[in-house]
């Protein structure tokens, strides 16, 4: 179930807020995801109230929440508050790239390209050391590259790194060049506007991905739990012909999702008591197959997912004890 319309986003946000009251220890990831759904439904005042609620509860990641709040507030006209939050984050200098990226992109979205550029550069100076780049620091260099192209700046060393690290089908210089169409000989302002709209859409996608750092997770039933489940709820046997099939289907589903471009994949481990408690809280029978996907989504939103794929040498997610590459990660197992 992937919400799409504003009404679906609101319904999903409300479900996550209800879930947060049942699992106060997992409130932060649940409410952050709820706020992301409210933003996607354009219910910005409600998202803002959730960010405030999180900030007042000693969150683990206050800078990211403040950054998301700043970006959200600015979207619905609260520019002064947004700017104050952004200044506070810059002064605090968080060591996580995500809040920097959110605030630099908020400035970029509101055409403050010089300030956005300074913000990306401050973050890169602070966070890029001798260690290898992470996905987060690479994203900072990619954002900085985009703003520098918009400003018409020449490439510097970090831009070269951004070009080298970029893995998409279109080279970064082409993707980030708003004058591309002029260079091709077009003198149609409508085409240029379309090009800029496309750049903005790319930025929007990235922003949406950032505010939804929650995995798409597949449910894994350990062998003993699965036999207990099927003994208690025989109607679910159609979903799970055997434990071996269940395990190969998990790997196959994740590979198919990865191949279709879905990132941030994970596996959540199910147990019968937790599944029954979830069914009771949703006032539904555990025998209902449609409940399984909601249970998986809720476990993932509570931060219970293990990222997939494991590295080739780490133990396989199926708990066989064998390295992933020699178990479900083997090329033949698909
Ligand atoms: Zn470049
Ligand atoms: Zn395995």
């Amino acid at each position: 179930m992937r919400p799409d319309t504003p009404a679906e986003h609101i319904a999903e946000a409300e479900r996550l807020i209800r879930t947060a009251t049942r699992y106060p220890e997992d409130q932060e990831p649940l409410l952050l995801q709820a706020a992301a759904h409210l933003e996607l439904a354009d219910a910005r005042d409600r998202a803002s109230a959730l960010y405030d609620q999180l900030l007042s509860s000693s969150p683990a990641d206050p800078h990211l929440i403040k950054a998301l709040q700043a970006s959200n507030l600015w979207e619905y006209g609260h520019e002064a508050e947004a700017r104050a939050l952004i200044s506070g984050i810059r002064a605090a200098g968080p060591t996580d790239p995500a809040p920097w990226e959110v605030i630099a992109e908020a400035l970029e979205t509101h055409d403050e390209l010089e300030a956005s550029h300074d913000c990306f550069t401050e973050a890169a100076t602070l966070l890029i050391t001798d260690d290898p780049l992470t996905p987060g620091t690479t994203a900072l260099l990619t954002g900085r590259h985009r703003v520098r192209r918009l400003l018409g700046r020449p490439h510097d060393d970090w831009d070269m790194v951004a070009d080298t690290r970029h893995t998409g089908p279109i080279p970064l210089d082409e993707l980030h060049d708003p004058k591309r169409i002029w260079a091709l000989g077009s003198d149609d302002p409508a085409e240029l506007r379309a090009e800029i709209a496309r750049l903005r859409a790319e930025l929007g996608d990235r922003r949406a991905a950032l505010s939804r750092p929650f995995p798409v997770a597949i449910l894994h039933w350990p062998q003993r739990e699965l036999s207990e489940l099927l003994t208690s709820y025989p109607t679910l046997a159609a979903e799970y012909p055997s434990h071996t099939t269940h395990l190969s289907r998990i790997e196959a589903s994740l590979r198919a999702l990865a191949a279709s471009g879905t990132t941030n994949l994970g596996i959540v481990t199910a147990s019968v008591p937790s599944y029954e408690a979830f069914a009771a809280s949703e006032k539904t029978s555990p025998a209902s197959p449609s409940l399984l996907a909601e249970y998986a989504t809720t476990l993932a939103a509570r931060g219970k997912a293990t990222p997939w794929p494991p590295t080739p040498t780490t133990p396989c997610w199926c708990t066989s004890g064998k390295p992933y590459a020699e178990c479900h990660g083997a090329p033949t197992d698909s």
Side-chain angles (χ1 to χ4, degrees):
M1 175 200 54
R2 314 223 69 192
D4 193 23
T5 66
E8 284 166 0
H9 282 296
I10 298 272
E12 182 63 5
E14 287 173 346
R15 198 179 71 78
L16 290 163
I17 292 166
R18 282 198 306 276
T19 306
T21 62
R22 292 199 300 270
Y23 304 102
E25 73 281 12
D26 301 324
Q27 171 176 276
E28 187 170 338
L30 287 162
L31 294 188
L32 265 182
Q33 188 170 14
H37 283 293
L38 292 171
E39 284 200 47
L40 290 165
D42 214 28
R44 299 203 168 267
D45 49 344
R46 293 181 65 187
S48 182
L50 271 191
Y51 291 130
D52 280 341
Q53 182 185 333
L54 277 165
L55 286 170
S56 66
S57 65
S58 321
D61 198 350
H63 297 301
L64 179 61
I65 299 168
K66 283 181 190 168
L68 292 167
Q69 173 70 305
S71 164
N72 178 56
L73 284 168
W74 205 339
E75 276 314 306
Y76 78 112
H78 298 265
E79 183 181 332
E81 276 176 88
R83 285 183 184 280
L85 282 167
I86 290 172
S87 305
I89 292 163
R90 290 174 77 169
T95 52
D96 169 20
W100 285 105
E101 192 183 357
V102 172
I103 60 175
E105 288 183 353
L107 291 161
E108 178 185 358
T109 303
H110 295 278
D111 294 318
E112 307 235 353
L113 295 181
E114 289 289 349
S116 173
H117 177 257
D118 292 349
C119 202
F120 275 124
T121 303
E122 268 169 53
T125 308
L126 186 68
L127 301 185
I128 297 177
T129 56
D130 293 337
D131 300 327
L133 290 175
T134 63
T137 48
T138 304
L140 288 175
L141 292 187
T142 305
R144 185 174 174 277
H145 180 284
R146 182 181 58 239
V147 173
R148 288 172 65 83
R149 294 298 284 176
L150 290 167
L151 285 165
R153 299 273 170 92
H155 270 50
D156 64 5
D157 288 351
W158 273 336
D159 288 325
M160 308 289 193
V161 175
D163 284 330
T164 316
R165 300 281 300 202
H166 180 67
T167 53
I170 303 172
L172 213 51
D173 289 323
E174 195 178 328
L175 197 64
H176 288 171
D177 189 356
K179 297 196 183 71
R180 174 155 75 106
I181 290 176
W182 299 114
L184 292 171
S186 168
D187 55 2
D188 181 354
E191 281 184 33
L192 185 62
R193 275 200 300 276
E195 184 70 4
I196 290 171
R198 199 184 51 71
L199 275 174
R200 289 244 183 270
E202 182 219 345
L203 176 60
D205 288 349
R206 173 76 195 132
R207 175 71 184 70
L210 249 189
S211 61
R212 285 179 289 176
F214 307 98
V216 174
I218 304 283
L219 206 54
H220 166 220
W221 294 91
Q223 186 154 22
R224 185 175 300 184
E225 295 292 332
L226 187 64
S227 35
E228 190 184 329
L229 179 81
L230 298 183
T231 307
S232 305
Y233 310 105
T235 53
L236 298 179
E239 308 289 317
Y240 304 114
S242 75
H243 191 250
T244 310
T245 309
H246 169 53
L247 296 183
S248 0
R249 282 185 184 171
I250 292 171
E251 181 71 21
S253 306
L254 288 163
R255 289 187 192 190
L257 284 164
S260 73
T262 309
T263 55
N264 205 3
L265 295 165
I267 295 177
V268 284
T269 302
S271 81
V272 174
S274 105
Y275 177 62
E276 287 173 336
F278 177 73
S281 69
E282 294 289 312
K283 300 183 175 58
T284 308
S285 162
S288 159
S290 64
L291 195 64
L292 293 164
E294 278 206 357
Y295 175 55
T297 305
T298 304
L299 286 176
R302 290 175 58 204
K304 305 293 183 200
T306 306
W308 178 93
T311 66
T313 52
T314 46
C316 189
W317 52 262
C318 75
T319 70
S320 66
K322 284 191 279 185
Y324 176 61
E326 292 168 30
C327 191
H328 286 91
T332 46
D333 188 81
S334 57

